[in-house]
Every structure is written in C-alpha cells, then in structure tokens.
Amino acid sequence: MGFLFWLIWAIDIATCITLFLAGDFRRSFTSSNSNGWVALLFLLCVIASPVLRLLMRRQTLGLVVVAMPILVLLMWYLIDKISGSST
C-alpha cells in the first residue's frame, strides 16, 4: 500500500506541474482559464496526502486523498465522452 501511495503521489506531482505550466501557456492565448480548479485540486491533494499519511498516521485516508484527483479527472473524461461533447 505504501508503494501505491508514493506512485500515485509522484503522478500527482508530475500532473500538477504540467497543469500549472499548461495554464500559463493557455493564458497566453486567452484571458480566462476555466479549468484552474483542477490544478488547485491537485496541489491541495499533493500537500494534504503526505500530511495525512505521515503526520496524522491515517494511511488509508491518505491513499484516498492522493487518488482523488485522478479519479475526478477520470470521471470528468467519462462524463464528457458519454455526453458526446468533444472540444
């Protein structure tokens, strides 16, 4: 369970960095970024999950928090795919 936590945490950090860089790139074309909440969700989960796991000793809750952004993006993709709205 520890390996799974750190693997997902590393994926979250890589995605978080990519989202912040891509947000700046997107803002160079338009003035608004309607998906800024996704980067904040990743950042919050990247910070909160090790705090829950290491400081508060809540290993299962830490795993749930670290997996939450990926599950949200997966659900968002599936809902978008089912609804048929592609951008």
Side-chain angles (χ1 to χ4, degrees), residues 71-85:
L71 293 175
V72 166
L73 288 179
L74 180 64
M75 289 184 343
W76 189 8
Y77 170 76
L78 291 175
I79 290 170
D80 191 45
K81 197 71 162 168
I82 290 171
S83 68
S85 61

Side-chain angles (χ1 to χ4, degrees), residues 24-61:
D24 288 339
F25 179 72
R26 184 167 189 241
R27 272 193 289 286
S28 70
F29 292 108
T30 62
S31 61
S32 65
N33 185 3
S34 62
N35 298 332
W37 63 271
V38 177
L40 293 176
L41 173 69
F42 269 89
L43 185 62
L44 179 69
C45 290
V46 162
I47 293 170
S49 58
V51 169
L52 287 170
R53 183 174 175 84
L54 300 174
L55 297 178
M56 299 179 128
R57 303 285 184 208
R58 307 278 188 203
Q59 294 184 2
T60 306
L61 188 59

Side-chain angles (χ1 to χ4, degrees), residues 3-23:
F3 175 73
L4 181 63
F5 174 83
W6 292 112
L7 177 68
I8 295 173
W9 190 74
I11 292 170
D12 281 353
I13 284 184
T15 308
C16 187
I17 291 169
T18 304
L19 285 172
F20 278 112
L21 293 175

